[in-house]
Amino acid sequence: VNLRSGHPLLEEEPFDFQKLRDYPFVDYAQKILSSSSDLIQAGIVDPDKRILVDNLDTRCHIVLVSDAFSVGCDLPLRIRDRYQRVCIPIPSMTYQMVAVHRRDQPLSEEARCYLEFLFSEIAEM
């Protein structure tokens, strides 16, 4: 769950995921990682408070200037700090990232550099 720092729900400990239903959910239209139906079934999202956007920057901006929230990957600490964003893992939901490539061909230089970068960013989390 991605929230702006200073969000009212961050004042309570432990974090109550069920109270997220009271806030708008900003959903990324391309659904790369999150599935609204899973979040609705988990009682985290109120479908009547769903804001559908097709631009990642728009989704981030709405979360950072309001009490809305989004769901996606955790971000490296320096990015979270820069954008005053808080990331809270949902205990019951996990995703796996995979890289698919042909066994009989070496990775391209771009793919190798990307994977090295990805692993370094994950290591900082």
Side-chain angles (χ1 to χ4, degrees):
V1 172
N2 300 308
L3 304 162
R4 67 172 176 84
S5 59
H7 191 284
L9 288 180
L10 296 173
E11 296 173 8
E12 300 178 24
E13 295 236 2
F15 186 84
D16 187 349
F17 289 93
Q18 299 304 311
K19 289 186 178 179
L20 285 169
R21 289 184 56 81
D22 298 334
Y23 297 90
F25 169 61
V26 187
D27 198 2
Y28 190 47
Q30 296 188 4
K31 299 196 182 298
I32 294 170
L33 292 174
S34 68
S35 170
S36 295
S37 59
D38 291 344
L39 298 170
I40 291 167
Q41 286 180 326
I44 293 172
V45 169
D46 179 345
D48 294 330
K49 294 180 181 172
R50 186 172 161 240
I51 302 168
L52 190 63
V53 298
D54 62 0
N55 181 284
L56 187 58
D57 290 333
T58 302
R59 180 180 85 161
C60 291
H61 182 73
I62 292 170
V63 169
L64 293 175
V65 299
S66 71
D67 285 342
F69 71 98
S70 67
V71 173
C73 288
D74 193 0
L75 299 170
L77 185 57
R78 70 179 189 279
I79 294 174
R80 281 183 270 165
D81 289 346
R82 179 178 175 196
Y83 292 103
Q84 299 178 353
R85 189 168 176 169
V86 176
C87 301
I88 302 172
I90 302 172
S92 60
M93 295 184 147
T94 59
Y95 294 93
Q96 288 185 332
M97 295 179 71
V98 297
V100 178
H101 62 93
R102 295 180 65 126
R103 283 186 200 185
D104 58 345
Q105 295 180 356
L107 287 174
S108 69
E109 181 64 18
E110 293 85 3
R112 188 188 59 70
C113 288
Y114 174 74
L115 289 173
E116 285 177 9
F117 171 76
L118 181 62
F119 288 131
S120 70
E121 290 295 310
I122 289 171
E124 289 182 28
M125 293 180 151

